[in-house]
Amino acid sequence: MTDFSTIYKLSLVALWCFIHASSCSSCPLLECWFVQEKKGRGGGLAGATTQEKTLLHIRKDEHDDSAESSRAPSDINPDRIYVITDPAEALCHRSFNPPRGSIKKPQCEVNPFLPQPCSLAWVQSLTEKAFSPVYLQADWFSASFTGVDEQRGVATITRAPSGTKQQSVILSLTSRTMSAQARLGEPVTLDCSFWADPLSPLSEMGFAVEWRYQFRGDGRLVLAYDGKTDRLAETVEEGATLDFEAVHQRGNASLTLQETKVRHSGTYICSVYLPYLLAQIAMELEVVEPPSLSIHPSPLPLAVPGQVLNIQCEASGFVPLPVDLSWEFKGADGKTRSLEPASMSGHRQAWDGTFSQSTRLQLDTSKLDLGRGGELTCVAVHRGGTRRASVTLSVIGFSSPSIEDSMAMVGVALVLYGLIKFASWTFTSSGSDEAAKSDKVR
């Protein structure tokens, strides 16, 4: 009976862990890169950067001493071994703690951080008193983490008492959409949530949220919100929204684009400000729309052996490049084969940013065994999916009839022969009867 009760309890624990995966997963031991600017001879910054390996022991609370007993790798400088307390457990997610022996590892980078006020209009209210609290007199670090699934990312700002290696997460950002896709015209949400240490005096002084867009050197402000004064910046992009209630209650600063357009493809940076602190996380959005296909002429004219048909297939309204266009023919026997070659046009861009491209097929009925015809299909292979468009091809007066047609012709010939014989017999019989009657009359 005890065994069954134990199994039952373990099953309940396993179920609870499945539902609350991040809570049951152990916090990881992360090997990262510590990157900082190199100091010049005079003590200033030389502009170049240096990087060295660092080891981060992640724990949920400061009473966990398991990191103290673990042995550090020999190739890591002891001065670059840190213990990070993460009460929100953002770094304890399983995507940052792959199974032992796994080839894929989470990516992370640590940098020194200098707390300072921000002059942006939607952030100024956080430091309007213009004094620097004693709390800031410590060692500060910023770090970015990408999980093995490449979909989850975390950015942190940590604080360590000067001269110590015990860091505590003061501000963390988490995104589950580090790489997102969307169809044209559909809404899309870019995930970004933040957590601020309630024990930190900075968390009581308000926050601000900012979303920026970048693509090939072009950048713009999408949305900015001052959470302290509950004000939205005037430079708001049309169709970009933030759930303000969720921001205040749950730290959910996700951005929703109500109607996705081609110009929305690019990098989006979610920034959260606390007084003197800034954490950022960047994610990629790609707008993907498969092509619409049209065949010209449609329907196809009747073809005769020896005729050359010029047929064009146009793929339009797709994004991004490229698209692969090809032709297929399915005969009366049900077999499908590719038709080569076909010429391709260059791509053209429409006013809405989508592309179009066409392929032209010269169908020579004298060189191809098309029988009585069949189904001609244009095939477009694109990142958004494969699309097909078909038309019916009919060939008349073909030189090589099929077996069915030959049998039908033989049958018709036999019927005609029978009718002729029957008519001949009837005519002969009636003639004989008339001759016999004439003999009797004489």
Side-chain angles (χ1 to χ4, degrees):
M1 193 70 176
T2 304
D3 293 338
F4 283 107
S5 63
T6 302
I7 293 173
Y8 176 72
K9 291 177 182 178
L10 290 174
S11 301
L12 289 179
V13 172
L15 178 61
W16 190 90
C17 287
F18 178 78
I19 299 174
H20 304 83
S22 62
S23 298
C24 282
S25 60
S26 59
C27 293
L29 180 66
L30 295 173
E31 286 192 22
C32 301
W33 290 104
F34 190 92
V35 181
Q36 63 180 335
E37 291 185 333
K38 184 184 295 185
K39 291 183 179 181
R41 292 182 178 179
L45 299 178
T49 60
T50 62
Q51 64 177 25
E52 54 184 319
K53 284 186 177 181
T54 182
L55 193 66
L56 307 181
H57 294 272
I58 311 299
R59 62 184 183 181
K60 301 174 184 178
D61 60 77
E62 58 185 11
H63 303 294
D64 183 1
D65 297 328
S66 58
E68 306 287 341
S69 58
S70 59
R71 182 175 299 177
S74 58
D75 60 339
I76 295 181
N77 184 346
D79 291 336
R80 290 288 175 251
I81 300 176
Y82 300 97
V83 177
I84 298 180
T85 302
D86 180 19
E89 302 180 20
L91 297 175
C92 296
H93 191 271
R94 59 181 176 273
S95 61
F96 301 112
N97 195 9
R100 184 172 298 178
S102 176
I103 298 177
K104 298 189 69 175
K105 303 290 184 182
Q107 304 296 316
C108 55
E109 181 179 310
V110 182
N111 310 94
F113 179 80
L114 179 63
Q116 55 187 335
C118 180
S119 60
L120 293 173
W122 47 91
V123 187
Q124 283 182 338
S125 66
L126 303 182
T127 54
E128 59 186 0
K129 294 182 180 180
F131 71 90
S132 179
V134 178
Y135 180 77
L136 297 180
Q137 297 177 9
D139 294 333
W140 292 84
F141 304 89
S142 66
S144 59
F145 305 84
T146 303
V148 292
D149 59 357
E150 298 182 355
Q151 283 298 313
R152 179 176 288 264
V154 172
T156 62
I157 298 295
T158 57
R159 177 185 183 275
S162 299
T164 69
K165 297 181 179 61
Q166 307 290 327
Q167 300 181 24
S168 297
V169 176
I170 306 303
L171 175 62
S172 66
L173 268 64
T174 302
S175 175
R176 296 169 297 176
T177 56
M178 296 294 287
S179 178
Q181 282 191 357
R183 292 281 300 272
L184 273 179
E186 294 184 354
V188 62
T189 297
L190 299 176
D191 180 66
C192 182
S193 59
F194 69 93
W195 176 87
D197 184 3
L199 301 179
S200 169
L202 301 181
S203 64
E204 302 174 355
M205 301 166 63
F207 68 90
V209 175
E210 174 192 280
W211 279 91
R212 286 190 178 272
Y213 167 87
Q214 288 185 350
F215 183 69
R216 295 179 180 175
D218 177 34
R220 63 178 181 265
L221 178 65
V222 177
L223 184 147
Y225 173 66
D226 184 346
K228 183 177 181 179
T229 62
D230 193 27
R231 291 183 179 178
L232 195 64
E234 295 182 0
T235 54
V236 177
E237 182 167 313
E238 183 180 357
T241 61
L242 202 66
D243 188 338
F244 302 108
E245 183 178 351
V247 172
H248 284 276
Q249 292 184 355
R250 302 188 301 276
N252 183 358
S254 300
L255 176 73
T256 298
L257 301 174
Q258 299 293 346
E259 186 178 352
T260 308
K261 296 180 173 60
V262 174
R263 64 183 179 86
H264 288 142
S265 285
T267 302
Y268 287 80
I269 303 173
C270 174
S271 303
V272 174
Y273 297 83
L274 291 185
Y276 306 97
L277 305 184
L278 165 63
Q280 296 179 316
I281 192 165
M283 56 203 79
E284 299 294 326
L285 172 63
E286 184 180 32
V287 179
V288 177
E289 184 67 21
S292 298
L293 298 181
S294 59
I295 297 179
H296 306 283
S298 182
L300 296 178
L302 295 175
V304 296
Q307 182 180 359
V308 177
L309 295 177
N310 290 308
I311 308 169
Q312 179 174 305
C313 175
E314 182 169 4
S316 59
F318 66 90
V319 69
L321 293 170
V323 65
D324 181 30
L325 298 173
S326 60
W327 293 90
E328 293 178 352
F329 176 76
K330 183 178 180 180
D333 57 0
K335 296 181 179 180
T336 302
R337 67 179 188 268
S338 298
L339 297 179
E340 298 291 348
S343 60
M344 290 281 292
S345 71
H347 65 267
R348 302 171 299 279
Q349 191 166 21
W351 62 270
D352 62 352
T354 60
F355 296 96
S356 62
Q357 196 167 9
S358 61
T359 176
R360 182 179 295 273
L361 177 68
Q362 285 192 327
L363 194 64
D364 190 344
T365 57
S366 64
K367 297 180 180 180
L368 296 172
D369 182 15
L370 302 177
R372 294 170 298 165
E375 186 178 66
L376 187 64
T377 301
C378 175
V379 183
V381 179
H382 184 259
R383 287 191 60 182
T386 300
R387 296 291 186 268
R388 296 173 180 270
S390 300
V391 289
T392 300
L393 174 65
S394 299
V395 180
I396 59 175
F398 51 91
S399 57
S400 54
S402 63
I403 297 177
E404 293 83 358
D405 290 343
S406 299
M407 294 179 63
M409 292 171 64
V410 171
V412 170
L414 290 174
V415 171
L416 291 174
Y417 177 75
L419 289 174
I420 293 171
K421 291 292 292 181
F422 177 75
S424 175
W425 178 80
T426 302
F427 178 78
T428 303
S429 298
S430 59
S432 300
D433 292 341
E434 291 293 334
K437 289 180 182 179
S438 298
D439 292 338
K440 290 180 179 180
V441 170
R442 291 178 183 174

